[in-house]
Amino acid sequence: MKKGIKKILTVFLATSLLSTFAMGCGNKDQGTSSSAKGPKGKVMIYTSIYPDIIETVKPALNKQFPDLEIQWFQGGTEKVMTKMAGEIEAKKIQADLLMVADPSYYLSLKEKDLLLKYDAPNRKDIKLNKDEEGYWTGVRVSNMIIAYNTDKVKPEEAPKSFKDLLNPKWNGKIGMPNPLLSGTAYVAAAVLSDKYGWDYFDKLKKNGLKVDEGNSAVQNKIVTGEYLAGMILEENILKLAAKGEPLKVVYPEDGTIVIPSPIAILKDGPNPEAAKAIEDWWLSKEGQEAIVKGWMHSVRGDVNPPKGAPELKTFYDKAMKIDWNKLNKENEKVKEKFRSTVLE
């Protein structure tokens, strides 16, 4: 009898140990499976998107990529480009993903073989600015427009086009961001000088054009009435108008300057696999809805425009034509010409 009980206990203990071992292996496999759902480690995004927009996006990204530490370097396009230039020179690129405003900059990076070709799954749904070879994809649409202070200017008296800013009634009361610091302002300066010649900016200067560091400085001076009108990003005005500020957007009759800014992966970045996952999220409907919450237009066709803005198609066909290759090759030339024409 004792031998029988001893035998049963031995079998029971052996079975229990095997069961425990199996459970342990099972938990280990489950843990591996869970962590394998998404990318891990750190990923660095260099961007000119405004800080408050980054803050609204962070919770969604953290939820989507729980095992990933997402870091940001935020600054104006020119500031980001300067940082990139230093890292390229040192051959030590820290960025994984790049999201700046000037599409022509990506042409320069592609020429230097610094971008990673990636055909993101959600890329098929993107309607604007897709590199044929897959080195970058449009991720947000910003528009350089005209804005005015509705407390100071009646709708019928507001400028209807960029050329209207030459009217003497705006003398000393108009502003724009500095193309030497702002990527979108650089695009505007290049496009307007291409369309009307540098004589246009010479006349603007004679009409008292003021040049500020960035779009935010211009928006603040339109709000206070220091400027009656200005050349500025649509998203700045939409955001403040929604808060009740006396601002109105004008989509110029001579053409809105539509800037479909891209997203791209740096080939020598530290975590390319994580960068791929994040890029695909930005191009998804959820990611694009986050873009629209930031008062920019989506590059997809199934996402509504930002609050207070018409659909992109209502003014896209009339937008000013932009030669991005020319903007890439003439970057320093345009900036120097603006400096000598307007700033000196």
Side-chain angles (χ1 to χ4, degrees):
M1 186 73 177
K2 288 181 178 180
K3 287 183 178 180
I5 293 172
K6 187 175 181 180
K7 185 176 181 181
I8 291 170
L9 287 171
T10 302
V11 171
F12 174 77
L13 287 170
T15 303
S16 297
L17 286 170
L18 285 170
S19 176
T20 302
F21 178 77
M23 287 175 66
C25 289
N27 288 340
K28 184 178 180 181
D29 288 344
Q30 288 172 8
T32 302
S33 174
S34 175
S35 62
K37 286 181 180 178
K40 296 185 290 185
K42 296 180 182 179
V43 67
M44 173 65 81
I45 303 173
Y46 284 11
T47 186
S48 60
I49 292 176
Y50 288 128
D52 59 321
I53 308 308
I54 293 173
E55 291 303 315
T56 64
V57 168
K58 279 182 178 179
L61 276 172
N62 292 336
K63 182 180 179 181
Q64 184 71 21
F65 304 107
D67 297 326
L68 193 61
E69 182 184 341
I70 303 173
Q71 300 177 337
W72 304 78
F73 175 79
Q74 191 282 333
T77 294
E78 293 296 326
K79 183 178 180 180
V80 175
M81 287 167 58
T82 299
K83 184 171 175 60
M84 282 291 302
E87 294 180 8
I88 292 168
E89 179 69 23
K91 295 183 179 180
K92 193 174 182 181
I93 292 175
Q94 302 298 308
D96 294 291
L97 272 171
L98 184 68
M99 299 173 69
V100 293
D102 178 7
S104 68
Y105 179 55
Y106 294 78
L107 291 168
S108 173
L109 294 176
K110 180 182 176 181
E111 289 171 358
K112 295 174 182 176
D113 193 29
L114 293 170
L115 301 180
L116 181 70
K117 185 189 298 186
Y118 177 54
D119 188 15
N122 284 321
R123 199 168 184 263
K124 65 184 186 303
D125 301 311
I126 304 306
K127 306 298 182 184
L128 294 174
N129 198 11
K130 289 190 286 189
D131 175 55
E132 291 180 0
E133 298 177 76
Y135 286 100
W136 70 77
T137 306
V139 70
R140 56 183 169 129
V141 183
S142 297
N143 301 300
M144 287 299 285
I145 48 85
I146 296 169
Y148 67 94
N149 183 308
T150 56
D151 284 345
K152 306 288 184 179
V153 180
K154 296 178 181 178
E156 62 271 20
E157 296 174 348
K160 303 296 189 293
S161 69
F162 287 112
K163 287 204 79 172
D164 280 354
L165 296 176
L166 299 178
N167 191 312
K169 72 180 180 179
W170 308 117
N171 189 284
K173 293 294 184 179
I174 50 176
M176 70 172 288
N178 191 337
L180 279 60
L181 302 172
S182 163
T184 49
Y186 162 68
V187 173
V191 172
L192 287 166
S193 63
D194 197 42
K195 185 176 179 67
Y196 294 126
W198 283 104
D199 183 56
Y200 172 73
F201 281 100
D202 184 55
K203 290 177 179 177
L204 275 179
K205 181 180 181 180
K206 291 175 180 175
N207 204 31
L209 174 71
K210 306 292 177 60
V211 179
D212 289 288
E213 183 172 324
N215 287 280
S216 296
V218 176
Q219 79 180 19
N220 293 338
K221 291 180 181 179
I222 299 176
V223 168
T224 62
E226 182 177 342
Y227 298 160
L228 298 181
M231 192 185 304
I232 190 172
L233 275 175
E234 173 196 35
E235 61 213 58
N236 289 67
I237 302 307
L238 293 176
K239 178 168 61 177
L240 290 184
K243 294 179 180 179
E245 297 292 355
L247 299 171
K248 181 76 173 177
V249 172
V250 174
Y251 299 92
E253 292 175 353
D254 47 356
T256 299
I257 300 172
V258 177
I259 306 170
S261 302
I263 186 170
I265 300 170
L266 278 302
K267 189 174 72 172
D268 296 325
N271 197 343
E273 292 308 309
K276 289 177 182 178
I278 292 179
E279 176 174 325
D280 200 42
W281 181 85
W282 276 112
L283 302 179
S284 70
K285 190 171 183 181
E286 181 185 2
Q288 287 297 292
E289 285 172 346
I291 288 290
V292 170
K293 287 178 182 176
W295 306 98
M296 295 166 282
H297 290 258
S298 171
V299 289
R300 292 175 62 113
D302 57 355
V303 178
N304 292 327
K307 182 181 178 182
E311 291 190 24
L312 187 64
K313 64 183 180 182
T314 61
F315 56 86
Y316 183 75
D317 290 341
K318 299 176 184 177
M320 289 196 182
K321 304 303 178 187
I322 304 177
D323 185 341
W324 296 111
N325 283 296
K326 183 176 181 181
L327 264 65
N328 173 39
K329 296 184 185 306
E330 297 188 355
N331 185 287
E332 292 305 319
K333 178 182 175 182
V334 169
K335 290 174 183 174
E336 181 53 39
K337 188 64 176 176
F338 185 90
R339 189 195 333 266
S340 62
T341 303
V342 181
L343 300 180
E344 291 182 357

